Amino acid sequence: AQSVSQHNHHVILSEAASLELGCNYSYGGTVNLFWYVQYPGQHLQLLLKYFSGDPLVKGIKGFEAEFIKSKFSFNLRKPSVQWSDTAEYFCAVLYGGSQGNLIFGKGTKLSVKP
Amino acid sequence: EAGVAQSPRYKIIEKRQSVAFWCNPISGHATLYWYQQILGQGPKLLIQFQNNGVVDDSQLPKDRFSAERLKGVDSTLKIQPAKLEDSAVYLCASSLAPQGSYEQYFGPGTRLTVT
């Protein structure tokens, strides 16, 4: 069955610390990869996406993610977090192209201490 | 551009009652999705429409859940009768798929509490 795993349930960091959130997915042929973020009280919004090409993708607010096909991974990184990055982060994988099934991980809650 | 609109934002009902949620997607988006997000989990797809046709409803509990997208724009999701385990946030999303970007845009969700 198609599945997406996020390794950390809750991550607590101090401002200026570096961030890496892990995401692994099960094999399913061609996939499209996403990271969504949900700030407190707000709706899910796209942080970044990978469809093809350069496996290192850059998103909004200084976030980036690297697609490593051999490891079925799509980890999210940010060199220096801010208090405003406090949110829940969801990795999602689209299996089966445009009409396929978007599978979400369980999410990682990030708390940044000022 | 206006985002995905959903109403109501919150709903509290007793078990065995019925409830309906409404979604208005982004203008021009052919594909509309309903997700269920239980506390502590990621969203799970319930049903996917392309225009007014169903693409995937394999995870929709059809004995109690129903959804429609008349005229290929607005959509409603209904639960009848509700159970305690239906307490969740119900998210609506839309995308330009299959013609354009696969990116899904999410609405604010409806938080349902079943008591």
Side-chain angles (χ1 to χ4, degrees), chain B residues 10 12 16 31 33 36 39 49 61 68 78-79 90-91 104 106 108 113:
Chain B
Y10 305 91
I12 301 173
R16 291 186 288 274
T31 302
Y33 315 80
Q36 180 192 59
L39 187 65
F49 293 94
E68 59 183 12
K78 296 179 182 177
I79 307 175
Y90 291 85
L91 298 167
Q104 296 184 21
F106 285 82
T113 302

Side-chain angles (χ1 to χ4, degrees), chain A residues 9 32 34 36 38 41-46 49 51 88 90 94 97-107, chain B residues 9 31 33 35 37 40-45 48 50 55-56 59 91 97-98 101-108:
Chain A
H9 178 64
N32 300 119
F34 305 83
Y36 281 87
Q38 188 166 27
Q42 297 188 27
H43 58 276
L44 274 169
Q45 50 190 290
L46 186 69
K49 59 189 176 186
F51 286 171
E88 190 153 21
F90 292 91
L94 181 66
S98 64
Q99 295 296 67
N101 201 352
L102 187 63
I103 306 293
F104 282 84
K106 289 188 174 182
Chain B
R9 293 293 309 277
T31 302
Y33 315 80
Y35 289 85
Q37 185 177 13
Q41 299 183 20
K44 183 186 82 170
L45 180 71
Q48 178 179 341
Q50 182 182 328
V55 173
D56 182 358
Q59 299 190 87
L91 298 167
S101 170
Y102 305 169
E103 176 184 343
Q104 296 184 21
Y105 295 81
F106 285 82

Side-chain angles (χ1 to χ4, degrees), chain B residues 79-99:
Chain B
I79 307 175
Q80 182 180 13
K83 293 185 175 182
L84 294 176
E85 59 260 35
D86 298 331
S87 293
V89 176
Y90 291 85
L91 298 167
C92 181
S94 68
S95 78
L96 287 167
Q99 300 303 324

Side-chain angles (χ1 to χ4, degrees), chain A residues 36-78:
Chain A
Y36 281 87
V37 61
Q38 188 166 27
Y39 297 102
Q42 297 188 27
H43 58 276
L44 274 169
Q45 50 190 290
L46 186 69
L47 201 55
L48 49 79
K49 59 189 176 186
Y50 173 80
F51 286 171
S52 63
D54 188 344
L56 185 63
V57 293
K58 295 189 183 301
I60 60 172
K61 304 186 180 185
F63 285 90
E64 64 180 31
E66 185 175 12
F67 171 50
I68 303 180
K69 190 174 181 180
S70 61
K71 295 184 177 181
F72 301 99
S73 71
F74 190 55
N75 292 353
L76 181 70
R77 299 195 292 250
K78 185 171 185 179

